[in-house]
Structures are given as structure tokens and as C-alpha cells.
Amino acid sequence: MPFKGSTPILPTSRQDIDDGVLACEAATPIDEHLAMISDSDPTWLKCKSSLWGQAGRVQTRLGAMTGLRSLEQRGQTWETWASSASKQARRLSQEGVPSRLHGEYSRVMGIVGKVMGYVSGDDEYEFRQMERTEQANDEIYSAQHPPPHGPTKTAP
């Protein structure tokens, strides 16, 4: 039971929920996110599109179940964005755009592998992991400093 003179924290009607969803849409327009796709990290974009695609599907289903049309439409908008972002990530990867996230992962795994090679006494494994770390550092640098003419396709 609320205290005398206090206002409820939770929405009291479906219209209040609907108004809240519309206010959220006005505060965070989808266009801002779409504008950032072209210069995004392909691995990060793939992860982000997967997360927001799932969130959009949940919103769509919740909107359909509760009858909140704006929530359902918002979910469909996120699903559409996630689909185009996923396609963009695939295209960037195919074009050879370096990924800082992938480079950081490879660098850490290269360092761990180098230590494992050292501890086990396997010089060849240790050397391969040092090369992996160097390649990862190159990928990180390339992601931070793209060439002026755009990405170039690299051999796998």
C-alpha cells in the first residue's frame, strides 16, 4: 500500500506502459544506431546484432501477448535492425575489415598459449603462439588505424 501522498513507481494501466514505451522510443531513436554500422567492428557488430535481435523477439512476443501495439512494433524494429546489422557484420568480415575484439581475444589466447608452451617445454608451440600474438597485435593496430582507402581483403 503506497504512503499517503506518494506516487506509484510501477505503471498503473496499459496506457501508462504504452506511453512509457513511446517515451523510450523518442529518447533513443533507432537511426542513431543505424548510422554507426558502417564503421563498426565486425565481431562486435555480430555480437550486438545477436543480442538486440533476441531482445526484439522478446519485445515483439510480449507486445503481442499483452496487446501493447507499440511494444510489439518496437520489437519488430529491433529485429529488423539486428538482421541488417548481422548482414553488415558478415559483409565487413568478408571484406577483410580487421576486428579489434577478435584481435584482443587472439592476443590473450596467444599469451596463454605461449606460457603453456614454455611450461610444457614445447618450443615449437611457444613460437607459434608468439606469432599468433604478433598477428593479433597487427589486427588490433589495423582496427584502430584503418587505411585511408578503406579495407582491403586479406588472405585467410
Side-chain angles (χ1 to χ4, degrees):
M1 179 171 176
F3 295 106
K4 185 178 177 183
S6 67
T7 57
I9 297 173
L10 298 174
T12 55
S13 69
R14 288 174 65 180
Q15 184 60 42
D16 289 343
I17 295 171
D18 215 24
D19 291 343
V21 169
L22 291 175
C24 180
E25 286 178 4
T28 58
I30 192 81
D31 296 337
E32 290 176 21
H33 297 289
L34 291 173
M36 296 187 313
I37 290 177
S38 64
D39 60 338
S40 294
D41 182 301
T43 303
W44 174 244
L45 188 57
K46 182 179 176 182
C47 294
K48 190 166 65 167
S49 68
S50 176
L51 175 72
W52 286 112
Q54 289 295 333
R57 282 186 275 291
V58 169
Q59 280 184 334
T60 301
R61 287 190 186 115
L62 281 175
M65 287 174 24
T66 60
L68 295 172
R69 197 67 191 125
S70 63
L71 184 62
E72 187 175 358
Q73 289 172 344
R74 179 69 173 179
Q76 290 168 350
T77 301
W78 279 114
E79 287 182 80
T80 302
W81 177 85
S83 176
S84 66
S86 179
K87 289 176 187 172
Q88 178 76 4
R90 266 193 304 277
R91 187 182 63 74
L92 291 172
S93 292
Q94 290 170 349
E95 289 177 359
V97 173
S99 168
R100 179 181 176 124
L101 184 63
H102 181 265
E104 293 288 353
Y105 171 79
S106 291
R107 186 171 64 93
V108 168
M109 295 309 293
I111 291 169
V112 169
K114 180 182 169 196
V115 169
M116 288 174 48
Y118 177 79
V119 170
S120 67
D122 187 344
D123 293 335
E124 183 181 342
Y125 186 76
E126 183 180 357
F127 179 74
R128 283 196 317 263
Q129 295 306 309
M130 281 179 20
E131 284 182 331
R132 179 180 184 178
T133 303
E134 289 172 8
Q135 289 172 349
N137 286 335
D138 291 342
E139 184 174 8
I140 293 167
Y141 180 83
S142 295
Q144 290 175 330
H145 305 91
H149 305 307
T152 57
K153 185 144 183 149
T154 56

